[in-house]
Amino acid sequence: RDFGRVVTLSVIGVYASGATGIGWTNQQTFLTQCQQLASCGYWWNILKKNGLEFDPGRFDHHKRERNSSYTSSLLPSLIEQLSRAEIQPEAILNICTQFCIAFAIDRTVAAMRVIEFYLSRPTSTSASVPSPRDHFGARENLVLCGDGARMALPFLPILSRIKVLRCCLINLENDGDRCGTDYERYNLILSLLRHELISLMQTEIKDGKDLECLRSELELVDRRIEALALLSSFFSSTKLASQKVIPSYPSFFLPLPNSIGSHKSPTKLCGILGNLGSAAHRSDEFDPLAPLQPLLSSSQFGQITANSLSPICHVLGLPAGYLQSRQLCERFLACSEKGQPLPLFQENVLPLLHRLKFSKDCAELAEWCASRYENDEKERLVCLKHAQLYAMKYSSEVESRLQFERTAGNIDEEKYALDAVKRIGKEMVALEDFLFVRELLLKGYTDLSPVAKQIIVSLIDVARSRSKRNITPEMLVELLLAESSSSAADALVDKIQDFSLHDFRQVAFRVHDACLRISEEHSHVNPRAVIGAFSRRWLVHGDCPASKSNEAVSKPKVLKPKSHETVFEDDDTREFVMDLNNFGHGRDMWSDDIGFSEQSEANQKLSVGEEPWGLKANGSAREQVEHNNAKTCLKIAFVLSFAHTYEDRKASVTETDEEHFKENRQMSDKAVLSLNLALGSHARVRQSGGENFARQLLQVAFTDRGTKGAPLFLNDIVLNETKTITFAMRHRALRTALILCPNELIRSVIKENEYFSALVDGESSFAYHLERCKIASYVAMEVEDMGLPLPHSDFAQLSSMHFSSYARALWRHHGQSGDCSGFKGRLLGLLIVLCTAHGKQLDDAPLVVAVLNEIMKDGKLPRTALSSIERIIDCESAGPRIHAIRMVDVTNHSGEKIIARTLVATAKCLLKELNQCLQNGSQQSLVLDDDECYDVMRRLIKAAIILSSLGVERINLFLFASEFCSAISSISPIRPELAHRLSKLAIQLTHRVNAEDQQVLLSKINDIGDVARRKSAMEKIHCTTNVSVPT
């Protein structure tokens, strides 16, 4: 590869071929070959000296057309190596041109390669043999690059100039990740391209389409140049340059098309929110402001960036104000993340909305800002109001455009605008309703009891969370009534919480007032329909949600024309007439009733689960049913308590009603237990509403009697198309009527409809019959649920039967025979209720003793045993009842001994469960509630003290208290607070023993206190030592 010798030999060959008159003659072919070899040797030597690798065999002159692409591919490397040798651009162009001439390459290729070299990104050397000058790069000198490009451009036709400049620009933009911040190089190329485009447009172009394409191309170039000027001016600041936050220039624009005039359908630019907007519009949109996102989110440079670069929006094809909007959104996000106060609407959002040009952008920005005000409802509401105004304006604009031009794009815009108006409107209405309801609920908040305050606050929190999901006014009314009635009923049923019926009434007053005001604001909202649906559902199904099989009972059906079978309508029942005869007559009505005495075995229902827990509230099936019924009746009474105010919009709930609450507290106990008031300026309205409720509820309770007067208009208690009215429904209806209405009103309705045929004009007679009817309804409900037979379906008839005789029949056929699998405890408890229903005396003391003996022998019914003993002794007639039990002798065991053994067995069972639940590592301890456990133990201690005070033998309070203290001592290290509370109960027992035993018990109680205190102190020390110390 000694190319110098090749050149020498080639020269000798030329002389020898006779070119100078010396040598051979007629050697033209040889002469040409030597001349070609000399030329190749010359360029091979140059390529070798510049460190290029090449294949001499591919320089064959006989295959020039085939090898021209190879030889021309050597030009970029040759130009780069020549530039490293500090050769001037003009000399490099001359060398490349001679190279192209030597190898029959179009000389314009040399000019194009020189331009491409000087306008490309600087790279490291590509030479195989590095030289000491490798550190030098001509392309680092932009002045030199500009001179080289301008010097080479005149050697090309004008179209070729534009083509090569566009190619350089496209290649440089595609390499934006590595040279995107070289703003001066981009500006150099764009300036040259703009000059050539203007020169071409100044020539005579006859085709208007070509001229339009050139104008479009020139506009793209001008936008890039203006953006570069703004970016270069802004980022020339030393502070910003040192932070290395300069964005990549190509990311501000869409890529140029491959050729002029080859534009595809324009890509849609993103909206005012960018990537913060709807995800459905991100895939096919381009965001020109995305490169500035890191700067806008910076607390140091965000504001100055938005202010200084605001003109770039016009250059990028975006409306004015987009950059400030993005910066405001970043401020919202940063404040939310750091927990700082959000920007105020009046000071930050509203001025920006006034600067924006298009109403669509204003609506989107205002709606987004409103979504960030999660904890500031007032700011959110103001923001939503402006968003709705702009959305409606945008919808009107689109509608106006549709009148002149109905295109697919305009139709899509109209749909988008209408959806925005609906969406923002729903959100705004939901928020307005919530703020309105919150103001009403918090009115006079300081006068409420602590539990009532807690219910109101919890209701507001639930309404707030649901309002964020755009709850409708109808759903808000349902939410208020459902949540508040459930919470108030739970609080009133809970014996531990200090929540009275007066507090219950206070909460109901506020909730119904809020519902009434909502219905006044929204004329389509009908709270009576909601109350009717809730009352029907709870009356039929109780507190448990309706199963799929029961949906047909509660789901309203449309009233068909020319049909009189449908009894109730769910929508508007103001003009509907209710007639219970439609349910059936006589035995046909009760032939498939659950409580009917001739029902098939397939219809029998057995309660599952006896008493898995003795120390938990509602640990038995009977207690669960009782708790659910009590809660259900209170919920129905809650929603009906002020329902009469919805009949007349003018007769609204006022502050005067609040004063009537105070007056009502001074009434008799019977009147205080009613929620429906009949005093004050609206007395007539409330009186008629209460009478209507009493009629409806009592008509359901005494449904077998039918109606004897005019048909009733049922506006709230709406039963659906069914003929199955269970005893549970009737029991709940009676209890609800007694809660809701005063006794005087109950008595007048009962007397008017002759529900009690034996009722006389005496108050004591009414109270006696009503009490027996209450017991009868409870018994019928329990018997129905256990699937046992009933002698009659009418409450009045049931209340007149001899309860003890019926109890004896149930005992003989089911209790004594053992035919009560699954509900034994429930049946035995019901028998005790029947035997104690006649007041002071026990009509069937032997049956009571037999039932207690059965409970004691079972040993797994502690809650039934405790409630049965309480039923016997927890009244003024406890003494006569215990005396009757003493006289009973069952298998050589007196009744007194059996009741004592029952109590002792119950105590052992409960104390054993207490120890098992509170063992270290026991998972059951997690489900044991201190309040529930304390309540059960309190009842047990009270029963023991009463029996001891009545002189019942075998009730040794000292031994009882000793066992109780031992159990407390074992749980003291685990539950010191519970042990401390139980020790107070043990102190009550010490007051009933002699002085010597009292000292022993007090010593044990003191030991329990010491253990509890040591446990509490150790826990405090442990918490202190585990505190991490900051380094």
Side-chain angles (χ1 to χ4, degrees), residues 234-235 239-240 243-246 290-307 323 326-335 337-338 340:
F234 178 68
F235 288 104
K239 182 182 294 186
L240 289 172
Q243 297 293 328
K244 298 181 179 180
V245 292
I246 301 178
L292 295 175
Q293 205 72 17
L295 275 174
L296 295 175
S297 60
S298 171
S299 58
Q300 184 178 3
F301 303 113
Q303 191 65 42
I304 188 176
T305 301
N307 295 335
L323 195 62
R326 297 289 182 85
Q327 196 270 333
L328 178 63
C329 294
E330 292 296 333
R331 283 181 59 193
F332 270 96
L333 295 176
C335 292
E337 183 179 355
K338 298 177 182 179
Q340 298 176 352

Side-chain angles (χ1 to χ4, degrees), residues 359 510 553 579 581 751 753 832:
S359 55
R510 282 165 171 77
V553 178
D579 189 358
N581 291 327
K751 185 176 181 180
N753 292 273
I832 295 295

Side-chain angles (χ1 to χ4, degrees), residues 750-929:
I750 289 177
K751 185 176 181 180
E752 178 184 349
N753 292 273
E754 299 182 4
Y755 291 138
F756 295 163
S757 57
L759 182 64
V760 296
D761 292 334
E763 181 65 29
S764 60
S765 175
F766 165 73
Y768 172 78
H769 283 83
L770 184 60
E771 185 64 28
R772 290 187 62 86
C773 189
K774 289 162 56 178
I775 297 175
S777 68
Y778 171 77
V779 171
M781 178 191 65
E782 288 288 288
V783 170
E784 173 191 65
D785 205 25
M786 291 185 287
L788 302 179
L790 268 173
H792 206 280
S793 62
D794 181 46
F795 280 171
Q797 294 294 334
L798 288 176
S799 63
S800 62
M801 71 177 178
H802 195 267
F803 291 142
S804 297
S805 300
Y806 180 58
R808 175 66 69 173
L810 291 177
W811 168 254
R812 182 171 57 253
H813 294 289
H814 301 281
Q816 194 174 22
S817 63
D819 185 20
C820 54
S821 177
F823 55 90
K824 181 178 180 180
R826 193 169 180 179
L827 175 60
L828 297 178
L830 179 62
L831 297 180
I832 295 295
V833 172
L834 288 169
C835 293
T836 58
H838 281 290
K840 296 183 178 181
Q841 298 296 332
L842 294 177
D843 290 346
D844 198 341
L847 178 58
V848 173
V849 175
V851 172
L852 291 176
N853 190 35
E854 186 67 23
I855 294 174
M856 181 189 65
K857 288 192 301 182
D858 185 277
K860 297 180 181 179
L861 304 171
R863 299 194 69 86
T864 299
L866 183 57
S867 61
S868 298
I869 294 174
E870 289 178 329
R871 181 76 184 182
I872 295 172
I873 64 175
D874 196 9
C875 63
E876 298 178 356
S877 57
R881 290 180 177 181
I882 294 298
H883 177 72
I885 290 175
R886 282 196 181 99
M887 307 304 296
V888 179
D889 185 15
V890 180
T891 62
N892 298 325
H893 293 288
S894 65
E896 184 180 19
K897 183 186 297 185
I898 290 177
I899 193 173
R901 287 185 174 182
T902 304
L903 180 65
V904 173
T906 303
K908 290 182 179 180
C909 182
L910 294 176
L911 293 177
K912 181 181 178 182
E913 180 182 339
L914 179 64
N915 288 325
Q916 290 177 350
C917 289
L918 296 181
Q919 287 177 357
N920 287 321
S922 175
Q923 295 182 355
Q924 294 178 342
S925 63
L926 301 176
V927 300
L928 183 63
D929 184 79

Side-chain angles (χ1 to χ4, degrees), residues 158-173:
I158 188 168
L159 293 178
S160 298
R161 298 176 205 168
I162 295 175
K163 181 178 180 181
V164 70
L165 289 173
R166 290 186 85 258
C167 182
C168 293
L169 180 60
I170 291 174
N171 292 335
L172 198 64
E173 288 185 349

